[in-house]
Amino acid sequence: MLNALLNLETYATTTDSAIAQISVVYFDVNTKQIFKTFLANINPESEMKNGYYIDLDTVEWWDKQPKEIKDKLFVSQISIKEALNKLYEFIETDTILWCNKQFDPYIFTNAFKVENIYCPIKYNNFKDIDTLCYLANIDSYKKIHDANIDISNQIGRIISAYTKIKEPI
């Protein structure tokens, strides 16, 4: 099975949240090599017509983020349907998708459902980064909300935790 990392940036924190950015990166847990990447910035207007939720508090929170991070969300935006269709083609069969399991899978799978596109990840192939790190006694980190930085940090955490757990006692 291949390992990939999912990073979502959203305009709310509910399962029906509008997605601002989707990033998926395939990586090798033994070598740290990143070998396949997907990044899509989503046009929120494409989500509003299908009832995705945009929370005013979250939008205000985004307004307070550094300009260079906010500006990246508005580059080359595409519709949510186009992004999910491209993502469907991008994702390999039997991918293990690492993410924040309390947040990302619900928003991710809801978007596929709303857009009437088959979700390419099996429900039991979502794996939780925070639980893995907790079990390995790896510190949490502060999310920057920049896909490139956050993905690099998260992959480092996964590999550190995975390596620590696999070490002989």
Side-chain angles (χ1 to χ4, degrees):
M1 290 193 159
L2 296 172
N3 286 285
L5 174 67
L6 169 66
N7 185 40
L8 295 180
E9 298 300 338
T10 63
Y11 293 112
T13 57
T14 56
T15 58
D16 59 347
S17 295
I19 299 171
Q21 186 179 68
I22 303 170
S23 181
V24 175
V25 174
Y26 281 88
F27 65 98
D28 184 309
V29 350
N30 296 308
T31 66
K32 299 183 183 181
Q33 178 187 4
I34 293 175
F35 57 91
K36 190 175 172 183
T37 63
F38 175 91
L39 178 66
N41 293 322
I42 312 303
N43 181 332
E45 290 177 16
S46 72
E47 298 172 293
M48 290 178 2
K49 65 182 177 188
N50 284 333
Y52 293 85
Y53 182 60
I54 297 178
D55 177 61
L56 181 59
D57 289 339
T58 305
V59 171
E60 288 174 353
W61 176 87
W62 273 112
D63 285 341
K64 295 175 186 170
Q65 297 312 300
K67 182 178 178 359
E68 61 274 6
I69 290 178
K70 282 189 308 191
D71 288 350
K72 288 181 183 180
L73 297 177
F74 299 103
V75 175
S76 304
Q77 288 183 332
I78 58 176
S79 73
I80 185 68
K81 189 165 202 90
E82 181 181 355
L84 295 177
N85 277 318
K86 288 181 176 184
L87 190 54
Y88 178 84
E89 294 296 322
F90 174 82
I91 291 181
E92 304 281 338
T93 304
D94 290 331
T95 293
I96 296 295
L97 195 59
W98 291 93
C99 58
N100 174 344
K101 202 164 181 184
Q102 299 303 314
F103 184 79
D104 296 318
Y106 305 105
I107 296 169
F108 184 82
T109 56
N110 179 67
F112 278 97
K113 181 180 176 185
V114 169
E115 299 302 325
N116 200 27
I117 302 169
Y118 179 77
C119 182
I121 300 294
K122 295 177 186 175
Y123 75 95
N124 58 344
N125 281 4
F126 288 99
K127 303 301 179 201
D128 187 32
I129 297 168
D130 292 329
T131 301
L132 175 68
C133 291
Y134 172 80
L135 293 172
N137 198 28
I138 303 289
D139 291 335
S140 62
Y141 83 110
K142 181 177 169 65
K143 191 169 181 179
I144 307 297
H145 300 282
D146 177 308
N148 293 327
I149 295 169
D150 289 337
I151 281 173
S152 179
N153 289 341
Q154 288 287 54
I155 288 173
R157 289 178 72 218
I158 291 167
I159 291 169
S160 293
Y162 182 80
T163 303
K164 191 171 181 180
I165 288 172
K166 283 184 64 178
E167 288 176 357
I169 299 176

